[in-house]
Amino acid sequence: MRQVYLDYSATTPVKQEVVDAMLPYFTELYGNPSSLYSIAAESKEALAGARKQVAELIGAEEKEIFFTSCGTEADNWAVMGAADALRKKGNHIITTKIEHHAMLHSCEFLEKRGYDVTYLDVDSEGRVNPADLEAAITDKTILISIMFVNNEVGTVEPIKELAAIAKAHKILFHTDAVQALGNVPIDVKELGIDLMSMSAHKIYGPKGIGALYIRKGVKISNYLHGGAQENKKRAGTENLAGIVGFGKAAELARTNLTEHIKHTSSLRDYLIQQVQENIDNVYVNGSMEHRHPGNANLTFEFIEGEAMLLYLDMNGIAVSTGSACSSASLTPSHVLSALGIPVERIHGTLRFTVGDMTTKEDIDYVVSTLKNVVNKLREISSVSSEKGW
């Protein structure tokens, strides 16, 4: 059976160059970077090299990169650390209704501890109106956190404009860039970002390693306590092999960015075109002008996304009904709900994300199979409706 993976926003395969870079740090160069002997010095050098590679991908300085276990930890650290450090200044945080649950649940945690959180609405494409952000700011606002690229519909937010508003009011600006990294150009200095979350496994690197960019001069409280790792900011023995893999993946993402965007956006557009030409009553969710190059979030009327997903899986095709972090839940997507999409359409939605390994032949196979699946499920749905089941 042909196998086609179209869920690159959930995770990506680790590229062979990344695996090759990592392998020596499991068996040969295994020294703890905090130790003083020579094998540890080699590990420390590798750690510094990877930090530089990640920094170069986003236009940051090496000392502004702090490695974490994942993007979720980076999000938690950013919001918790800022809230704690700035508590004497205020207790108001602004975010959006379409954030990843790592951010939403962190804000809910803080609300239970006396913080006020404003959740901004978005338009029908998932974009934040800068005027809404301006209007939400109070003299107690200490942090604004708005994701760079949405993980479900792929909408790219106007980060530079939003960050400028935060800067004008002398408020810290954080962005969750887990889906943006390696998919859109990022220059944290030009964009005016103070804090930014990242993850390796979205850019063909290993799972279990992420990073938080903290602009020089920004002070937030530590999230993990213990040793003096990460310039005394994030305790815990470094995941050296993972960090080296993140560094190599970041290097590849930087050098291949233009080609990656060209390849994935071309296949994404081809997928959407072919689906709409071959299947009736299909809607594209999110913005086409401001969009993740590989994301196609599509709603198929009159059928359930879970049923489509299972039938596609039986034909060797891997897609998602939404974020991999919440796809086990039957609750309608909070992102699609925020876009104003009716519940019945939300349940008929699939997220397709193409990547570097995707081919045109893969798309042709997926569309052909999807057409048969949709027709079959709609026929079943029609019969069920007629019989009152």
Side-chain angles (χ1 to χ4, degrees):
M1 184 189 300
R2 187 185 185 108
Q3 298 290 322
V4 179
Y5 181 74
L6 289 186
D7 202 16
Y8 282 81
S9 280
T11 195
T12 59
V14 180
K15 288 187 174 179
Q16 189 59 49
E17 300 97 315
V18 174
V19 174
D20 292 342
M22 294 173 65
L23 284 177
Y25 296 93
F26 287 109
T27 57
E28 301 169 29
L29 305 173
Y30 49 81
N32 189 321
S34 298
S35 300
L36 299 177
Y37 33 76
S38 58
I39 193 172
E42 293 175 329
S43 298
K44 190 173 183 179
E45 184 177 333
L47 182 63
R51 200 182 307 279
K52 180 180 180 182
Q53 289 169 313
V54 173
E56 288 177 341
L57 176 59
I58 64 170
E61 298 177 25
E62 296 165 40
K63 58 187 176 183
E64 296 175 313
I65 303 298
F66 299 88
F67 291 112
T68 64
S69 63
C70 57
T72 291
E73 183 193 330
D75 277 348
N76 274 256
W77 183 10
V79 67
M80 304 289 188
D84 181 71
L86 300 171
R87 184 60 192 260
K88 291 182 180 179
K89 180 181 177 183
N91 68 335
H92 181 229
I93 296 167
I94 301 174
T95 187
T96 79
K97 293 181 178 179
I98 64 167
E99 298 296 311
H100 189 278
H101 281 115
M103 179 54 59
L104 293 177
H105 290 171
S106 293
C107 288
E108 290 169 8
F109 176 87
L110 288 173
E111 283 182 292
K112 294 175 182 178
R113 283 151 182 80
Y115 289 83
D116 292 326
V117 181
T118 297
Y119 299 90
L120 297 176
D121 288 320
V122 294
D123 64 21
S124 61
E125 294 186 340
R127 296 262 289 179
V128 174
N129 184 339
D132 290 343
L133 173 61
E134 184 81 51
I137 293 173
T138 74
D139 59 355
K140 298 294 185 182
T141 307
I142 55 174
L143 175 69
I144 295 169
S145 179
I146 298 175
M147 68 192 329
F148 206 127
V149 174
N150 183 262
N151 50 300
E152 291 193 32
V153 297
T155 297
V156 181
E157 300 296 342
I159 294 299
K160 186 174 183 177
E161 191 173 354
L162 298 171
I165 293 172
K167 184 177 181 180
H169 290 272
K170 299 181 180 179
I171 299 168
L172 284 184
F173 184 84
H174 165 257
T175 186
D176 176 343
V178 168
Q179 294 292 339
L181 194 70
N183 287 303
V184 298
I186 300 176
D187 185 324
V188 290
K189 306 299 184 187
E190 180 186 348
L191 293 170
I193 296 168
D194 297 311
L195 302 161
M196 189 174 82
S197 305
M198 300 170 276
S199 183
H201 78 102
K202 308 293 188 180
I203 60 167
Y204 309 92
K207 298 172 182 63
I209 185 68
L212 180 65
Y213 158 76
I214 305 176
R215 181 178 59 78
K216 182 180 178 181
V218 170
K219 306 294 183 184
I220 64 172
S221 299
N222 291 358
Y223 186 58
L224 295 181
H225 304 275
Q229 293 88 354
E230 295 302 289
N231 197 27
K232 300 181 181 180
K233 284 289 188 181
R234 195 271 186 185
T237 301
E238 298 90 348
N239 173 9
L240 185 59
I243 289 171
V244 168
F246 192 0
K248 185 62 179 180
E251 179 187 271
L252 294 174
R254 180 175 58 83
T255 57
N256 298 332
L257 183 61
T258 300
E259 182 58 34
H260 166 78
I261 293 174
K262 179 181 178 182
H263 173 76
T264 53
S265 61
S266 174
L267 288 177
R268 174 205 65 195
D269 293 345
Y270 180 66
L271 169 63
I272 293 173
Q273 175 195 6
Q274 290 299 303
V275 167
Q276 292 185 320
E277 287 181 0
N278 286 276
I279 304 173
D280 294 332
N281 301 108
V282 179
Y283 304 91
V284 181
N285 301 312
S287 169
M288 286 306 300
E289 181 182 358
H290 308 284
R291 195 180 194 94
H292 179 296
N295 175 290
N297 187 288
L298 305 176
T299 292
F300 300 81
E301 278 199 302
F302 315 123
I303 48 179
E304 294 286 326
E306 287 78 10
M308 283 189 288
L309 186 150
L310 293 174
Y311 273 103
L312 290 172
D313 184 46
M314 287 189 286
N315 285 277
I317 299 168
V319 298
S320 172
T321 53
S323 166
C325 302
S326 60
S327 58
S329 171
L330 294 178
T331 304
S333 160
H334 70 285
V335 174
L336 297 181
S337 295
L339 269 62
I341 298 172
V343 172
E344 59 272 19
R345 284 192 181 178
I346 291 176
H347 285 304
T349 299
L350 292 179
R351 182 189 68 180
F352 303 80
T353 38
V354 304
D356 286 351
M357 289 76 168
T358 309
T359 66
K360 183 174 180 290
E361 290 71 27
D362 288 335
I363 302 300
D364 289 335
Y365 174 69
V366 168
V367 173
S368 175
T369 305
L370 183 62
K371 181 179 180 180
N372 293 333
V373 167
V374 170
N375 288 339
K376 180 176 183 177
L377 290 173
R378 282 179 175 169
E379 182 179 345
I380 294 172
S381 176
S382 176
V383 171
S384 299
S385 178
E386 289 174 4
K387 294 183 177 294
W389 293 347

